Amino acid sequence: MTEPSKKQRKPDPCSFIVFGATGDLTHRLVLPALYNLAAADLLPDKFCVVGIARKGMSSEQLRKGLLEGLHQFATRPVDDAIAQRVLECVTSIEADPKDPASFDALRTRLERLETNRATGGNRLFYLATPPAAFAPITRELGRTGLLKEEGGAWRRLVIEKPFGTDLVSAKALNDELLKILTEHQIYRIDHYLGKETVQNILVLRFANGMFEPIWNRNHIDHVQITVEEKIGVGHRGSFYDATGALRDMVPNHLFQLLSLVAMEPPAKFDAHTVRSEKAEVLAAIQTQSEAEALRNSVRGQYQGGKIGDAEISDYCKTPDVKPGSTTETYAALKLAIDNWRWAGVPFYLRTGKALGLKRTEVAIKFKQAPFAMFASTPVESLAENYLVIGVEPTEGITLQFNTKVPGPTINIDGVEMKFRYKDYFHVEPTTGYETLIYDCMIGDNILFQRADSVEAGWQAVQPFLDAWKKVGAKGLETYKAGSEGPAAAEELLKRDGRSWRKLG
Ligand code: BG6
């Protein structure tokens, strides 16, 4: 993320090599993001896109497919001249890690292209592939020397989520990558960091004088992080059934939100310092025993129901989901951060699919005021003091507080002060990938996950994965599609005398 005051500059000349060029991710996000960057004049002047597709495909065919995808997924009306400018940079090359000779041929063709396009040998390899291909592709790129930084040229590798499926596999993947690349060459994407409101958490906390003095256990009662989705599992049955809500969302997206909210102020706004503070706070999440993990978690699976007008069937009836599957589509956790700032402040996290609402937010609940002065007002009629960072559906910040109801007697009611991005700024709709791709091209990895953060995230969720695996179907709650999730998630907070923030 560039500093707010830094004027955006054009990236160095480079080639952008996408593995998985015919896949969903490239069509849905990568190409529309490149298009938006081209529209903002933020692509390098000397640039080429190489699409790696396993089955042989001509450049013409690849461009045609990408253009169709662009028309389907662009975030704004497509200007033909800009689309042509991006697409004329695209070349299709075949490479399959099972066929090492194809990577030798890739090297020869890429070097020729780089000379013709005068990209100076700078390369951005983007792995928009299924995770099983990450290591084999990287090994081949390493073997052929394509990732070696030499002669002043940079070589970078972008890796999509999921990064491992547990602590052991994430460590193994990090070890494998770090044999071939150095950490500064690796860009592990978490698309939540491309969201404006998520990036704004740092600005809210550290560019304002009034929040930081109260951002601690003396004033904050607890923190709630919610990522609720209306969509079910849809066509992703086989991926999702092997993954579940916890792996899919918590060690990555929810922990990005958690680390930005809970980290210590970085001394400098640079990648090393910011990422070190984030890793530090993730490492401070208490590792729970399996018994504690069971007590401090709820998992659920949706059953058929109605979301708006759409009927959705039981999770277990989703194509490619095993009948009788015990995979969770909802997870709620209570975590503790063992450091001076957060000791005794629980962090409650919840995420689920097929719920009645689409909502992503962080709600900071401040401690109750001593209400001695208003002893006659029943506590339950007083509003709770929340600072809410809204990511979806409304991007903004809301402060909830009590105020006097006009009139001769002292009656108190809760009100909200709301900031909404769209009221202040006109922003073109984006995919969220523009900033991430741009930052890869300028070599700023502040918005990308470092190896230690990824591992600290898995470390914190591993006891839940292990405990749930052991108990299988026991303790798996159900909830109706279109509802608020399993009732047990309410209990998780209720037993601490708390409740999830309701929408106003
Ligand atoms: C992805 C998950 O990483 O994030 C999906 O694999 C999920 O299951 C998605 O739907 C949520 O992203 P967003 O931006 O819609 O909150």
Side-chain angles (χ1 to χ4, degrees), residues 294-312:
L294 285 181
R295 182 174 149 69
N296 289 327
S297 68
V298 171
R299 67 199 162 113
Q301 191 184 80
Y302 66 80
Q303 294 189 320
K306 228 173 168 190
I307 305 175
D309 290 335
E311 284 286 350
I312 183 165

Side-chain angles (χ1 to χ4, degrees), residues 178 181-188 275 445 449-451:
L178 289 165
L181 299 136
T182 52
E183 182 61 48
H184 79 270
Q185 293 177 275
I186 307 173
Y187 290 70
R188 298 175 192 81
R275 298 199 306 171
N445 43 23
Q449 299 216 74
R450 212 167 58 185

Side-chain angles (χ1 to χ4, degrees), residues 45-66:
D45 289 327
K46 292 172 180 149
F47 185 56
C48 69
V49 178
V50 174
I52 310 282
R54 281 215 194 160
K55 43 182 182 332
M57 182 183 245
S58 71
S59 298
E60 236 3 272
Q61 285 168 320
L62 178 61
R63 286 183 200 143
K64 190 165 169 277
L66 290 174

Side-chain angles (χ1 to χ4, degrees), residues 161 191-192 195 227 229 231 236 239-240 248-249 253 353 358 360 392:
K161 142 180 193 289
H191 80 274
Y192 265 49
K195 295 179 190 270
V227 182
E229 297 186 274
I231 51 166
R236 300 164 79 214
F239 159 78
Y240 199 86
D248 190 35
M249 300 296 288
H253 306 327
K353 295 224 181 273
K358 166 91 176 149
T360 302
E392 290 256 10

Side-chain angles (χ1 to χ4, degrees), residues 216-222 345 365-370 385:
N216 55 48
R217 68 190 152 91
N218 298 325
H219 301 278
I220 292 179
D221 178 73
H222 73 275
V345 180
K365 166 79 169 53
F366 289 91
K367 288 191 169 162
Q368 200 79 279
N385 290 148

Side-chain angles (χ1 to χ4, degrees), residues 7-320:
K7 215 167 158 248
Q8 289 201 310
R9 63 172 165 95
K10 279 203 172 198
D12 297 337
C14 67
S15 30
F16 186 93
I17 304 116
V18 195
F19 283 81
T22 51
D24 181 60
L25 182 69
T26 305
H27 287 88
R28 217 162 27 84
L29 293 164
V30 178
L31 200 79
L34 287 178
Y35 172 89
N36 289 344
L37 285 172
D41 202 18
L42 285 174
L43 283 185
D45 289 327
K46 292 172 180 149
F47 185 56
C48 69
V49 178
V50 174
I52 310 282
R54 281 215 194 160
K55 43 182 182 332
M57 182 183 245
S58 71
S59 298
E60 236 3 272
Q61 285 168 320
L62 178 61
R63 286 183 200 143
K64 190 165 169 277
L66 290 174
L67 184 61
E68 280 165 17
L70 184 61
H71 280 288
Q72 191 181 348
F73 296 112
T75 57
R76 56 186 85 165
V78 175
D79 176 320
D80 288 337
I82 300 173
Q84 279 321 313
R85 219 184 323 136
V86 178
L87 287 168
E88 64 97 22
C89 300
V90 176
T91 306
S92 169
I93 299 184
E94 200 178 334
D96 181 344
K98 288 201 204 90
D99 171 17
S102 66
F103 274 73
D104 295 304
L106 166 66
R107 179 170 181 148
T108 311
R109 285 197 61 190
L110 187 57
E111 283 173 350
R112 209 177 314 136
L113 204 60
E114 286 171 344
T115 311
N116 291 342
R117 294 268 179 176
T119 59
N122 297 320
R123 297 176 191 144
L124 189 64
F125 292 96
Y126 196 115
L127 305 193
T129 61
F134 296 163
I137 292 174
T138 312
R139 257 179 250 134
E140 278 308 303
L141 292 175
R143 183 188 62 79
T144 47
L146 280 162
L147 285 168
K148 190 157 181 243
E149 298 200 309
E150 52 195 353
W154 51 255
R155 309 276 150 86
R156 298 177 187 143
L157 184 78
V158 182
I159 293 220
E160 273 290 338
K161 142 180 193 289
F163 197 92
T165 53
D166 57 12
L167 181 58
V168 171
S169 57
K171 274 192 170 154
L173 184 54
N174 274 332
D175 289 349
E176 181 100 47
L177 297 181
L178 289 165
K179 274 186 221 146
I180 301 162
L181 299 136
T182 52
E183 182 61 48
H184 79 270
Q185 293 177 275
I186 307 173
Y187 290 70
R188 298 175 192 81
I189 282 205
D190 182 312
H191 80 274
Y192 265 49
L193 286 174
K195 295 179 190 270
E196 282 292 340
T197 17
V198 175
Q199 293 176 29
N200 189 44
I201 297 175
L202 287 189
V203 178
L204 173 79
R205 287 188 58 196
F206 304 130
N208 295 299
M210 73 267 215
F211 296 116
E212 215 33 39
I214 54 169
W215 209 263
N216 55 48
R217 68 190 152 91
N218 298 325
H219 301 278
I220 292 179
D221 178 73
H222 73 275
V223 176
Q224 299 180 10
I225 302 181
T226 299
V227 182
E228 295 173 328
E229 297 186 274
K230 277 164 94 167
I231 51 166
V233 169
H235 304 297
R236 300 164 79 214
S238 110
F239 159 78
Y240 199 86
D241 207 36
T243 305
L246 181 64
R247 284 191 172 91
D248 190 35
M249 300 296 288
V250 177
N252 31 66
H253 306 327
L254 276 83
F255 277 6
Q256 288 303 333
L257 297 170
L258 180 145
S259 56
L260 291 169
V261 166
M263 69 195 271
E264 291 302 312
K268 278 193 279 178
F269 193 73
D270 65 23
H272 173 75
T273 321
V274 170
R275 298 199 306 171
S276 298
E277 293 298 351
K278 285 174 69 185
E280 189 96 348
V281 76
L282 289 176
I285 298 176
Q286 202 174 78
T287 306
Q288 306 197 15
S289 67
E290 287 181 20
E292 286 166 333
L294 285 181
R295 182 174 149 69
N296 289 327
S297 68
V298 171
R299 67 199 162 113
Q301 191 184 80
Y302 66 80
Q303 294 189 320
K306 228 173 168 190
I307 305 175
D309 290 335
E311 284 286 350
I312 183 165
S313 58
D314 289 359
Y315 168 74
C316 277
K317 294 188 186 139
T318 310
D320 302 325

